[in-house]
Amino acid sequence: MLRTHTCGELRLSKNGKKVTLCGWVQKSRDLGGMTFIDIRDRYGITQLVFNMETNAGLCSNARKIGREFVICATGIVKERSNKNFNIPTGEIEIVVQEFKVLNKSEVPPFTIEEETDGGEELRMKYRYLDLRRNPVKKNIILRYEMAREVRKYLDLKEFIEIETPVLIKSTPEGARDFVVPSRLKAGEFYALPQSPQTFKQLLMISGFDKYFQLVKCFRDEDFRADRQPEFTQIDCEMSFVERDDILETFEGLAKHLFKKIRDFDYKDAFPRLPYNEALEKYGTDKPDTRFEMLIQDITELAKGKGFKVFDSVEYIGGICVKGGAEYSRKKLDALTDFVRKPQIGATGLVYVKLNNDGTVKSSVDKFFNREELDKWTGNMEGENGDILLVLAGDRKKTLYALSKLRLEMGKQLGLMDKNTFTPLWVVDFPLLEWDDESQRYHAMHHPFTSAIKDDFHLFKTDPGKIRANAYDLVINGVEIGGGSIRIHDKQKQAEMFRLLGFSPEEAENQFGFLMNAFKYGAPPHGGIAFGFDRWVTLFGGTDSIRDYIAFPKNTAGRDVMIDTPSVLSDEQLRELSLKVVNK
RNA sequence: GGUGGCGUAGUUCAGUUGGUUAGAAUGCCGGCCUGUCACGCCGGAGGUCGCGAGUUCGAGUCUCGUCGUCACCGCCA
């Protein structure tokens, strides 16, 4: 080893010891007669000191060292005369006897510090430098620790991690596939997996009754702060289980991570909220339950009272904001603008102020008397000092807008504490979703999801009403994972494909391997997959999953560091039998 | 595919109704400095105002296009 210690471990107890440290030059402070150099590695920062009086040659050499030079220094640990209690090693310094420059460095394009001066783009281009920074380094370490704890817990529960192939087959359902051309078979392509879904089901048929995998998945869609083209799932599947077995097992995983990573003992069972109730109360299937402010349906109370805007709509609903009676006209205008943004889509905002003196002032006083407004208030559990915010329109769109408004108010009122976690299971999702564009049903989860037994009779009469035996884990309004009890019967799977508009030939062509496997004794099974990047991000407490991926891609799917995607040479294209067509 | 923000020194940003030589901080370079740790003081260098058209006597500033980037909508079983 080139070093005897790391830059983070030396304390007063090692006073007088001769040590050798290796690391990067964080900063040097040249005072003329003496020079201080902070040397940094993964573990911390230690101060080196050079003195003109005791070793002039060494000191003048030290003065020439620039930022981010890699150096190796040997010297004696000494108690400082001026201690720095801001860093763990701040009570000591190294009186250097000899040092060498292991490698020089150009001046980095941004500062390698806790708070850098570099912008997002620049930091991504020089990601290897950004990773030297403490906050980013901490995120990567957090990611590793979570992966380690996931493996520990699942290992304890006798799960086996099994790798599945990355070059697989493109399928029509779901997200767009990334594809890889085959050289040996011109005109044919592999696809990268959107998830190992069918493989883990095949593993169940093989008898590996508890499987998991920390696995890369790929989806060729447009990206966001919380979506990358390649991302990591904690992919799990179990045999001979029913829904509650899965929920209990993986609630256990979540609690293990809460305990180990956030030191938080989550004792209670996670609440379970039916999909329909989630939509009614929160306007979304991934509710943030850190705060209440539930949506209330007042359609019956407000419709048909002569207010035209309300009379013509399908749904009227609102939320009660505590302490909102004091909101100024300006603030209410701002909220109106907020809900009218195209992304939110509401047409307007009606408010009812419940003043502290017991009077009520609303934007619809002309159309509703006090008695009627009091009924709204009763319904929404409003009290003096609160404000009711009411939206109306198409049911689905209005609930969506209310969910966004609810989150905005939660944010404004500081109800969304990063260090509070409220997990819950959302259950009883619809099995199918009608898609206007293609004029057919789409699987809401995926085509292998089974229906709840009580709803089997609806297959013939009203498929849209069938509830799936599916579930999502939601924490703080983030969908952390989801899964289902699968279909394990060939007949039922065939019927599902039929409902989704597959011809028997198409089903055979795309999923024949699975249907075939079902012939040979498929056990009842089900599973779940967690978005690992999102989970780490949630525990890390910032907003972008890019912060927790060592080498992420930007929102256009480009890696600006290695500069890809990039063009292939004509020779490569020829080999792959590909021709590039300019659109 | 759509909407919006941003693009000016190495970096982060400012730049007035369109008007002379485009500024600040920080970083960098040089000098001074023996207890700094955001060291301090003095001096210096550093600009294709993303790119391309257009309007104008004159464009960092206005218009159009384009590229890059970020956020959101669509999309993401």
Side-chain angles (χ1 to χ4, degrees):
Chain A
M1 291 289 274
L2 300 181
R3 63 186 176 191
T4 61
H5 295 77
T6 70
C7 298
E9 65 177 298
L10 291 171
R11 300 289 185 276
L12 256 186
S13 59
K14 294 282 192 298
N15 198 5
K17 197 173 165 69
K18 183 168 181 176
V19 298
T20 301
L21 300 182
C22 292
W24 287 262
V25 172
Q26 175 73 30
K27 185 154 239 176
S28 80
R29 290 176 293 279
D30 179 2
L31 273 61
M34 61 197 309
T35 290
F36 300 97
I37 291 180
D38 292 337
I39 179 173
R40 180 197 71 237
D41 66 11
R42 178 183 138 196
Y43 306 91
I45 288 182
T46 299
Q47 177 169 284
L48 309 178
V49 60
F50 300 83
N51 198 313
M52 218 40 139
E53 224 165 58
T54 52
N55 195 336
L58 193 74
C59 190
S60 22
N61 282 339
R63 291 168 72 166
K64 293 176 196 150
I65 298 175
R67 272 164 61 200
E68 300 306 316
F69 278 35
V70 187
I71 64 170
C72 180
T74 301
I76 305 295
V77 179
K78 190 187 136 214
E79 183 171 6
R80 292 199 201 179
S81 56
N82 276 353
K83 293 181 181 174
N84 179 359
F85 292 102
N86 296 320
I87 59 171
T89 62
E91 287 193 81
I92 57 102
E93 63 195 352
I94 311 298
V95 181
V96 177
Q97 295 167 326
E98 53 178 325
F99 78 90
K100 58 176 175 253
V101 173
L102 299 176
N103 216 333
K104 292 182 177 179
S105 171
E106 287 190 15
V107 176
F110 52 87
T111 56
I112 315 285
E113 281 162 21
E114 201 80 12
E115 296 280 339
T116 182
D117 63 358
E120 174 97 4
E121 195 182 345
L122 199 68
R123 285 167 40 217
M124 286 304 162
K125 186 170 177 188
Y126 298 93
R127 183 63 166 174
Y128 44 89
L129 296 181
D130 199 29
L131 287 166
R132 289 181 185 170
R133 294 173 51 233
N134 214 23
V136 188
K137 182 180 74 190
K138 264 165 56 188
N139 291 343
I140 301 301
I141 292 171
L142 171 68
R143 185 186 178 100
Y144 164 68
E145 285 171 344
M146 281 184 71
R148 186 185 61 200
E149 291 305 326
V150 166
R151 290 198 163 99
K152 262 197 205 167
Y153 175 86
L154 291 175
D155 180 65
L156 206 69
K157 297 282 176 185
E158 299 186 298
F159 280 76
I160 298 174
E161 183 162 20
I162 304 173
E163 291 167 274
T164 51
V166 171
L167 295 175
I168 64 165
K169 184 184 176 105
S170 184
T171 57
E173 281 281 307
R176 213 172 279 122
D177 285 316
F178 279 102
V179 296
V180 178
S182 161
R183 175 178 57 84
L184 296 174
K185 202 80 170 84
E188 297 191 352
F189 296 82
Y190 301 99
L192 305 182
Q194 297 173 27
S195 83
Q197 181 59 36
T198 49
F199 288 97
K200 67 177 173 177
Q201 291 191 246
L202 294 169
L203 285 170
M204 292 303 107
I205 295 169
S206 306
F208 292 98
D209 62 350
K210 291 177 187 173
Y211 143 93
F212 87 102
Q213 186 182 189
L214 276 161
V215 61
K216 273 287 177 74
C217 302
F218 307 86
R219 292 177 191 177
D220 187 6
E221 295 292 344
D222 287 5
F223 311 114
R224 297 286 166 78
D226 63 347
R227 289 195 331 230
Q228 283 271 304
E230 51 176 308
F231 58 99
T232 303
Q233 280 191 348
I234 309 167
D235 191 50
C236 310
E237 198 79 3
M238 300 172 80
S239 290
F240 309 117
V241 289
E242 294 180 313
R243 186 192 74 178
D244 287 4
D245 303 308
I246 304 259
L247 298 196
E248 276 160 33
T249 303
F250 293 100
E251 197 165 306
L253 172 63
K255 285 175 177 173
H256 179 80
L257 291 176
F258 273 124
K259 174 71 187 151
K260 295 289 179 181
I261 304 298
R262 299 296 310 234
D263 194 28
F264 179 62
D265 260 315
Y266 203 102
K267 294 224 164 58
D268 300 330
F270 294 179
R272 296 179 189 181
L273 188 66
Y275 172 86
N276 282 331
E277 206 179 318
L279 276 195
E280 272 167 35
K281 289 184 174 170
Y282 299 95
T284 171
D285 61 1
K286 42 181 181 185
D288 190 332
T289 52
R290 278 176 294 184
F291 61 103
E292 288 270 320
M293 207 188 288
L294 300 183
I295 295 169
Q296 298 292 340
D297 181 348
I298 58 163
T299 311
E300 294 299 316
L301 296 176
K303 203 170 165 174
K305 307 285 180 185
F307 181 42
K308 275 188 191 161
V309 176
F310 281 4
D311 289 351
S312 58
V313 301
E314 181 186 6
Y315 173 90
I316 306 161
I319 55 175
C320 171
V321 180
K322 293 287 159 201
E326 304 191 343
Y327 287 1
S328 63
R329 180 59 194 258
K330 194 178 163 191
K331 170 122 183 175
L332 289 165
D333 284 348
L335 286 175
T336 307
D337 287 345
F338 173 81
V339 298
R340 291 182 66 177
K341 284 197 297 189
Q343 305 98 288
I344 310 291
T347 46
L349 176 73
V350 166
Y351 67 85
V352 182
K353 278 185 181 176
L354 312 174
N355 293 321
N356 279 312
D357 61 8
T359 60
V360 170
K361 169 77 186 125
S362 83
S363 53
V364 288
D365 282 341
K366 269 189 232 168
F367 306 97
F368 297 93
N369 59 36
R370 176 67 193 262
E371 195 185 329
E372 283 164 336
L373 293 179
D374 281 350
K375 282 185 192 164
W376 299 12
T377 308
N379 190 301
M380 293 193 226
E381 295 175 357
E383 295 171 340
N384 285 358
D386 297 348
I387 191 168
L388 311 181
L389 301 175
V390 176
L391 301 180
D394 174 85
R395 182 184 155 85
K396 203 176 156 191
K397 282 181 187 159
T398 305
L399 279 170
Y400 175 78
L402 279 167
S403 78
K404 292 292 185 192
L405 178 62
R406 178 179 172 273
L407 289 178
E408 176 64 20
M409 298 319 297
K411 197 166 122 195
Q412 288 188 14
L413 296 172
L415 303 175
M416 294 159 79
D417 175 27
K418 295 252 185 232
N419 295 312
T420 302
F421 297 99
T422 55
L424 77 152
W425 294 104
V426 177
V427 297
D428 298 346
F429 281 82
L431 184 68
L432 302 165
E433 241 177 343
W434 181 257
D435 181 60
D436 276 334
E437 201 179 318
S438 56
Q439 285 291 303
R440 67 171 181 89
Y441 284 110
H442 282 237
M444 187 144 179
H445 186 52
H446 57 51
F448 317 107
T449 301
S450 66
I452 286 178
K453 279 199 182 75
D454 293 350
D455 291 355
F456 279 178
H457 65 282
L458 294 168
F459 265 90
K460 295 259 153 51
T461 53
D462 195 354
K465 286 236 166 67
I466 303 169
R467 285 170 300 166
N469 205 342
Y471 32 80
D472 274 4
L473 177 63
V474 175
I475 307 178
N476 295 2
V478 181
E479 186 196 325
I480 290 297
S484 61
I485 298 299
R486 325 297 185 192
I487 299 167
H488 64 279
D489 176 87
K490 187 175 184 302
Q491 244 44 54
K492 285 208 173 70
Q493 186 65 66
E495 188 169 359
M496 184 68 177
F497 284 134
R498 199 159 47 242
L499 263 181
L500 295 174
F502 285 71
S503 71
E505 293 74 31
E506 283 169 332
E508 176 61 33
N509 186 33
Q510 298 295 337
F511 297 107
F513 61 96
L514 187 67
M515 307 284 271
N516 266 331
F518 280 172
K519 292 179 194 164
Y520 296 100
H525 62 284
I528 192 165
F530 299 96
F532 184 60
D533 313 84
R534 278 189 193 172
W535 205 341
V536 179
T537 305
L538 186 75
F539 275 15
T542 58
D543 289 325
S544 176
I545 68 171
R546 287 192 286 268
D547 296 345
Y548 300 87
I549 297 172
F551 299 104
K553 292 181 175 54
N554 70 15
T555 48
R558 171 160 294 276
D559 184 325
V560 295
M561 184 181 69
I562 63 173
D563 193 25
T564 196
S566 54
V567 296
L568 295 182
S569 69
D570 288 343
E571 195 192 334
Q572 281 175 298
L573 288 173
R574 230 181 350 263
E575 244 181 8
L576 296 168
S577 313
L578 293 180
K579 191 177 260 176
V580 175
V581 179
N582 291 316
K583 277 186 189 167

Short mmCIF file of all heavy atoms in Angstrom, two decimals, chain A residues 191-215:
data_model
loop_
_atom_site.label_atom_id
_atom_site.label_comp_id
_atom_site.label_asym_id
_atom_site.label_seq_id
_atom_site.Cartn_x
_atom_site.Cartn_y
_atom_site.Cartn_z
N ALA A 191 -34.40 -7.32 -28.09
CA ALA A 191 -34.83 -6.14 -27.35
C ALA A 191 -34.22 -6.21 -25.96
O ALA A 191 -33.93 -7.31 -25.47
CB ALA A 191 -36.35 -6.10 -27.26
N LEU A 192 -33.98 -5.04 -25.38
CA LEU A 192 -33.54 -5.02 -23.98
C LEU A 192 -34.79 -5.09 -23.10
O LEU A 192 -35.81 -4.52 -23.44
CB LEU A 192 -32.75 -3.75 -23.69
CG LEU A 192 -31.56 -3.49 -24.61
CD1 LEU A 192 -30.82 -2.22 -24.18
CD2 LEU A 192 -30.62 -4.68 -24.60
N PRO A 193 -34.71 -5.78 -21.96
CA PRO A 193 -35.91 -6.00 -21.15
C PRO A 193 -36.43 -4.72 -20.49
O PRO A 193 -35.65 -3.94 -19.95
CB PRO A 193 -35.45 -7.00 -20.09
CG PRO A 193 -33.97 -6.84 -20.02
CD PRO A 193 -33.52 -6.43 -21.38
N GLN A 194 -37.77 -4.53 -20.56
CA GLN A 194 -38.41 -3.47 -19.78
C GLN A 194 -38.49 -3.91 -18.33
O GLN A 194 -38.58 -3.09 -17.41
CB GLN A 194 -39.80 -3.19 -20.32
CG GLN A 194 -39.76 -2.68 -21.74
CD GLN A 194 -41.15 -2.57 -22.32
OE1 GLN A 194 -42.12 -2.39 -21.60
NE2 GLN A 194 -41.25 -2.67 -23.63
N SER A 195 -38.48 -5.21 -18.12
CA SER A 195 -38.37 -5.85 -16.81
C SER A 195 -38.22 -7.34 -17.10
O SER A 195 -38.56 -7.79 -18.18
CB SER A 195 -39.61 -5.58 -15.95
OG SER A 195 -40.62 -6.51 -16.28
N PRO A 196 -37.71 -8.12 -16.14
CA PRO A 196 -37.55 -9.55 -16.39
C PRO A 196 -38.86 -10.32 -16.17
O PRO A 196 -38.83 -11.50 -15.81
CB PRO A 196 -36.50 -9.98 -15.36
CG PRO A 196 -36.07 -8.75 -14.65
CD PRO A 196 -37.13 -7.73 -14.86
N GLN A 197 -39.99 -9.68 -16.37
CA GLN A 197 -41.29 -10.22 -16.00
C GLN A 197 -41.51 -11.69 -16.38
O GLN A 197 -41.74 -12.54 -15.53
CB GLN A 197 -42.40 -9.37 -16.61
CG GLN A 197 -43.81 -9.83 -16.26
CD GLN A 197 -44.06 -9.83 -14.77
OE1 GLN A 197 -43.56 -8.95 -14.06
NE2 GLN A 197 -44.81 -10.80 -14.26
N THR A 198 -41.41 -11.99 -17.66
CA THR A 198 -41.74 -13.37 -18.05
C THR A 198 -40.68 -14.35 -17.56
O THR A 198 -41.00 -15.47 -17.20
CB THR A 198 -41.89 -13.47 -19.59
OG1 THR A 198 -40.77 -12.86 -20.20
CG2 THR A 198 -43.15 -12.79 -20.04
N PHE A 199 -39.43 -13.90 -17.48
CA PHE A 199 -38.38 -14.80 -17.00
C PHE A 199 -38.59 -15.19 -15.55
O PHE A 199 -38.36 -16.32 -15.15
CB PHE A 199 -37.00 -14.18 -17.20
CG PHE A 199 -36.60 -14.15 -18.64
CD1 PHE A 199 -36.78 -13.01 -19.40
CD2 PHE A 199 -36.08 -15.28 -19.24
CE1 PHE A 199 -36.44 -12.99 -20.74
CE2 PHE A 199 -35.74 -15.27 -20.58
CZ PHE A 199 -35.93 -14.12 -21.33
N LYS A 200 -39.03 -14.23 -14.74
CA LYS A 200 -39.20 -14.60 -13.34
C LYS A 200 -40.39 -15.53 -13.18
O LYS A 200 -40.39 -16.40 -12.32
CB LYS A 200 -39.29 -13.37 -12.44
CG LYS A 200 -40.50 -12.47 -12.58
CD LYS A 200 -40.41 -11.36 -11.53
CE LYS A 200 -41.51 -10.32 -11.71
NZ LYS A 200 -41.46 -9.31 -10.64
N GLN A 201 -41.38 -15.38 -14.06
CA GLN A 201 -42.50 -16.32 -14.01
C GLN A 201 -42.04 -17.72 -14.43
O GLN A 201 -42.45 -18.72 -13.84
CB GLN A 201 -43.64 -15.85 -14.91
CG GLN A 201 -44.31 -14.59 -14.36
CD GLN A 201 -45.61 -14.25 -15.08
OE1 GLN A 201 -45.70 -13.24 -15.75
NE2 GLN A 201 -46.61 -15.13 -14.93
N LEU A 202 -41.16 -17.78 -15.42
CA LEU A 202 -40.62 -19.08 -15.85
C LEU A 202 -39.79 -19.71 -14.73
O LEU A 202 -39.82 -20.92 -14.54
CB LEU A 202 -39.78 -18.90 -17.11
CG LEU A 202 -40.60 -18.48 -18.35
CD1 LEU A 202 -39.68 -18.06 -19.48
CD2 LEU A 202 -41.52 -19.62 -18.80
N LEU A 203 -39.09 -18.85 -13.97
CA LEU A 203 -38.31 -19.37 -12.83
C LEU A 203 -39.23 -19.99 -11.77
O LEU A 203 -38.86 -20.96 -11.11
CB LEU A 203 -37.45 -18.27 -12.23
CG LEU A 203 -36.21 -17.89 -13.05
CD1 LEU A 203 -35.56 -16.62 -12.51
CD2 LEU A 203 -35.20 -19.03 -13.08
N MET A 204 -40.43 -19.42 -11.64
CA MET A 204 -41.40 -20.01 -10.71
C MET A 204 -41.80 -21.40 -11.20
O MET A 204 -41.89 -22.35 -10.42
CB MET A 204 -42.65 -19.13 -10.59
CG MET A 204 -42.42 -17.78 -9.91
SD MET A 204 -41.73 -17.90 -8.24
CE MET A 204 -40.05 -17.35 -8.55
N ILE A 205 -42.01 -21.50 -12.50
CA ILE A 205 -42.37 -22.79 -13.08
C ILE A 205 -41.22 -23.77 -12.91
O ILE A 205 -41.43 -24.98 -12.75
CB ILE A 205 -42.77 -22.59 -14.56
CG1 ILE A 205 -44.03 -21.73 -14.64
CG2 ILE A 205 -42.98 -23.93 -15.26
CD1 ILE A 205 -44.38 -21.24 -16.02
N SER A 206 -39.98 -23.24 -12.87
CA SER A 206 -38.81 -24.10 -12.66
C SER A 206 -38.65 -24.52 -11.21
O SER A 206 -37.79 -25.33 -10.89
CB SER A 206 -37.54 -23.35 -13.08
OG SER A 206 -37.66 -22.88 -14.39
N GLY A 207 -39.43 -23.91 -10.33
CA GLY A 207 -39.39 -24.33 -8.94
C GLY A 207 -38.53 -23.48 -8.02
O GLY A 207 -38.38 -23.80 -6.84
N PHE A 208 -37.96 -22.37 -8.54
CA PHE A 208 -37.23 -21.45 -7.65
C PHE A 208 -38.26 -20.54 -6.97
O PHE A 208 -38.50 -19.43 -7.43
CB PHE A 208 -36.23 -20.62 -8.46
CG PHE A 208 -35.11 -21.43 -9.02
CD1 PHE A 208 -35.14 -21.86 -10.34
CD2 PHE A 208 -34.02 -21.77 -8.22
CE1 PHE A 208 -34.09 -22.60 -10.86
CE2 PHE A 208 -32.97 -22.50 -8.75
CZ PHE A 208 -33.00 -22.94 -10.06
N ASP A 209 -38.84 -21.05 -5.89
CA ASP A 209 -40.08 -20.41 -5.42
C ASP A 209 -39.89 -19.04 -4.78
O ASP A 209 -40.86 -18.35 -4.51
CB ASP A 209 -40.82 -21.36 -4.47
CG ASP A 209 -40.00 -21.68 -3.23
OD1 ASP A 209 -38.80 -21.33 -3.19
OD2 ASP A 209 -40.55 -22.27 -2.30
N LYS A 210 -38.64 -18.67 -4.50
CA LYS A 210 -38.41 -17.29 -4.02
C LYS A 210 -37.22 -16.72 -4.81
O LYS A 210 -36.08 -17.09 -4.55
CB LYS A 210 -38.09 -17.28 -2.53
CG LYS A 210 -39.28 -17.65 -1.64
CD LYS A 210 -38.82 -17.66 -0.20
CE LYS A 210 -39.92 -18.20 0.72
NZ LYS A 210 -39.39 -18.35 2.10
N TYR A 211 -37.52 -15.86 -5.72
CA TYR A 211 -36.48 -15.29 -6.60
C TYR A 211 -36.41 -13.79 -6.38
O TYR A 211 -37.42 -13.13 -6.12
CB TYR A 211 -36.83 -15.56 -8.06
CG TYR A 211 -36.49 -14.43 -9.02
CD1 TYR A 211 -35.26 -14.39 -9.68
CD2 TYR A 211 -37.39 -13.39 -9.25
CE1 TYR A 211 -34.95 -13.36 -10.55
CE2 TYR A 211 -37.08 -12.35 -10.12
CZ TYR A 211 -35.86 -12.33 -10.77
OH TYR A 211 -35.55 -11.30 -11.62
N PHE A 212 -35.20 -13.26 -6.48
CA PHE A 212 -35.10 -11.81 -6.61
C PHE A 212 -33.89 -11.47 -7.47
O PHE A 212 -33.03 -12.33 -7.73
CB PHE A 212 -35.00 -11.12 -5.25
CG PHE A 212 -33.60 -11.01 -4.71
CD1 PHE A 212 -32.91 -9.80 -4.79
CD2 PHE A 212 -32.98 -12.09 -4.13
CE1 PHE A 212 -31.62 -9.69 -4.29
CE2 PHE A 212 -31.69 -11.99 -3.62
CZ PHE A 212 -30.99 -10.79 -3.70
N GLN A 213 -33.82 -10.21 -7.88
CA GLN A 213 -32.70 -9.75 -8.66
C GLN A 213 -32.66 -8.23 -8.63
O GLN A 213 -33.69 -7.58 -8.77
CB GLN A 213 -32.87 -10.24 -10.12
CG GLN A 213 -31.69 -9.94 -11.01
CD GLN A 213 -31.89 -10.39 -12.46
OE1 GLN A 213 -30.99 -10.37 -13.23
NE2 GLN A 213 -33.10 -10.82 -12.81
N LEU A 214 -31.47 -7.69 -8.38
CA LEU A 214 -31.27 -6.26 -8.58
C LEU A 214 -30.85 -6.12 -10.04
O LEU A 214 -29.75 -6.53 -10.41
CB LEU A 214 -30.17 -5.73 -7.65
CG LEU A 214 -30.67 -5.38 -6.25
CD1 LEU A 214 -29.54 -5.33 -5.26
CD2 LEU A 214 -31.37 -4.03 -6.30
N VAL A 215 -31.73 -5.58 -10.85
CA VAL A 215 -31.56 -5.76 -12.29
C VAL A 215 -31.81 -4.47 -13.06
O VAL A 215 -32.68 -3.67 -12.72
CB VAL A 215 -32.50 -6.88 -12.80
CG1 VAL A 215 -33.96 -6.52 -12.56
CG2 VAL A 215 -32.23 -7.22 -14.25
#
